[in-house]
Amino acid sequence: MATQGTGDLFDDAAGSGKPAALNLSVSKVLAGNKALGKPQQAFQRLVQKIETKRAALAQWQAYAERYQQRLAGEYRPLQIEMLAEQRLMVLFLDQVLQGKTPGRSLGKVQRAKAVDFLLTLLDQLLADAEDG
């Protein structure tokens, strides 16, 4: 039976019947061995680099999750609003091109530019509809 303070691999945590969690890493285990050869030291440095990279990866993964939440919370509502406004713009341009709006009618060059803009806007809206 293990004494208190020095845990055994098979000790249970507070009598729960479950093994106690050992917080050991490869570098900590290797650090306990004082007389390391050059290959072992190189291996230990590589293991420490891996642990550092794992910690950095965990930070990036946490950042990616926060970024996705922010994107969903801030960007998506603005994108939906923009799409609604673009749809209104399409309807307005359609009415202008049909001559259903009050005011002066469009000249040939203005009409061509309006048609080009309308087609570009419709292409964007259709592409966004396929994505979402």
Side-chain angles (χ1 to χ4, degrees):
M1 183 170 261
T3 62
Q4 223 173 19
T6 58
D8 188 317
L9 180 62
F10 300 104
D11 283 347
D12 60 348
S16 67
K18 296 181 183 176
L22 296 176
N23 190 10
L24 297 177
S25 68
V26 174
S27 62
K28 288 179 184 176
V29 171
L30 292 176
N33 188 357
K34 301 290 185 205
L36 298 177
K38 283 187 179 186
Q40 291 171 325
Q41 290 174 353
F43 177 74
Q44 185 176 359
R45 282 191 300 273
L46 291 173
V47 168
Q48 288 173 345
K49 283 183 181 180
I50 289 171
E51 288 176 358
T52 303
K53 298 290 182 185
R54 281 185 181 155
L57 176 62
Q59 288 177 340
W60 274 110
Q61 288 171 335
Y63 171 77
E65 185 177 324
R66 288 191 314 269
Y67 177 76
Q68 289 297 325
Q69 290 172 348
R70 184 174 178 191
L71 185 67
E74 293 178 20
Y75 175 72
R76 188 65 183 146
L78 292 174
Q79 186 180 30
I80 290 169
E81 183 181 341
M82 182 186 72
L83 291 173
E85 295 297 325
Q86 286 177 333
R87 288 183 189 110
L88 291 174
M89 174 78 75
V90 165
L91 294 174
F92 176 73
L93 282 174
D94 181 50
Q95 288 185 354
V96 168
L97 289 170
Q98 290 182 21
K100 294 182 179 179
T101 56
R104 201 173 64 150
S105 62
L106 298 176
K108 197 174 196 179
V109 173
Q110 291 173 328
R111 190 172 203 61
K113 287 181 181 182
V115 167
D116 186 46
F117 180 69
L118 178 64
L119 292 174
T120 302
L121 193 54
L122 285 170
D123 281 343
Q124 289 175 348
L125 287 171
L126 287 173
D128 288 340
E130 289 174 1
D131 291 342

